[in-house]
Amino acid sequence: MKIAIFASGSGTNAEAIIQATEQGRLDATVSLIVTDRPSAKVVERAEKHCIDVFAFNPKEYETKAEFEKEIVEILQENKISFVVLAGYMRLIGSTLLEAYEGRMINIHPSLLPSFPGLDAIGQALAANVQVTGVTIHLVDSGMDTGPIIAQEPVRIEKNDTIETLRQKVQALEHRVYPETLQALFIEQRERLDRDE
Ligand code: GAR
């Protein structure tokens, strides 16, 4: 199973997934990192693990369809069968969706459908809820709206700040994302075996 990870920022989730593949906890190979921010820290992480990177600047393209067409070509050249969004802060357009629908997954730092979009952790704190969490879902054309695959809660304590809550949520993400991917890939393989 060759996978590509899309990220726009630090890439701590990308790192957790790469490490899980290297340690044999996740039966997949991260063959490509795609980023819409060529200066993002995730690029450094990819290089450290000798993983190819496709970094592009969306401003250099006239439309989303144009850069997504180039991404799809690169994914297909690299024989990528599954796309993992890990902090890719851009809505997926129809060009990418048509090529990878049902084979593209995202992680979001809240219990969806609560707090979609930007700054989900800040939104949860501002709403004064006692529980937030992590959601992993298939990607559709909406903002954090696809079918939910896994969710885990995080308790918000009275003295939590945005930083302490982010640390708790991200520590959970780093455990749950590789585990969920592994369970999903095993299930897909079993389904394929049954259908043969
Ligand atoms: C993660 O917390 C992820 O859940 C969030 O961005 C962060 C990326 O961190 N994604 C979203 O908010 C998507 N709507 P990372 O670059 O350190 O993995």
Side-chain angles (χ1 to χ4, degrees), residues 53-92:
V53 175
F54 175 60
F56 66 99
N57 180 353
K59 292 199 182 110
E60 289 173 3
Y61 299 78
E62 299 228 323
T63 61
K64 179 180 290 222
E66 229 175 85
F67 64 72
E68 286 200 342
K69 185 167 172 276
E70 200 169 323
I71 294 174
V72 169
E73 278 165 14
I74 291 167
L75 293 174
Q76 289 172 345
E77 271 164 30
N78 282 275
K79 302 197 166 25
I80 300 297
S81 43
F82 204 89
V83 169
V84 176
L85 307 185
Y88 181 69
M89 303 311 265
R90 200 165 276 284
L91 265 185
I92 299 296

Side-chain angles (χ1 to χ4, degrees), residues 66-132:
E66 229 175 85
F67 64 72
E68 286 200 342
K69 185 167 172 276
E70 200 169 323
I71 294 174
V72 169
E73 278 165 14
I74 291 167
L75 293 174
Q76 289 172 345
E77 271 164 30
N78 282 275
K79 302 197 166 25
I80 300 297
S81 43
F82 204 89
V83 169
V84 176
L85 307 185
Y88 181 69
M89 303 311 265
R90 200 165 276 284
L91 265 185
I92 299 296
S94 56
T95 308
L96 253 168
L97 255 186
E98 275 161 26
Y100 280 89
E101 188 144 30
R103 297 187 296 149
M104 192 183 299
I105 200 173
N106 182 43
I107 191 161
H108 184 76
S110 76
L111 294 176
L112 290 170
S114 294
F115 314 128
L118 290 179
D119 191 23
I121 295 171
Q123 289 186 57
L125 267 185
N128 276 319
V129 292
Q130 294 186 352
V131 180
T132 186

Side-chain angles (χ1 to χ4, degrees), residues 21 42 107 120 133:
T21 63
V42 71
I107 191 161

Side-chain angles (χ1 to χ4, degrees), residues 9-13 87 89 107-109 144 170 173:
S10 169
T12 62
N13 278 283
M89 303 311 265
I107 191 161
H108 184 76
D144 304 317
Q170 288 217 322
E173 289 187 329

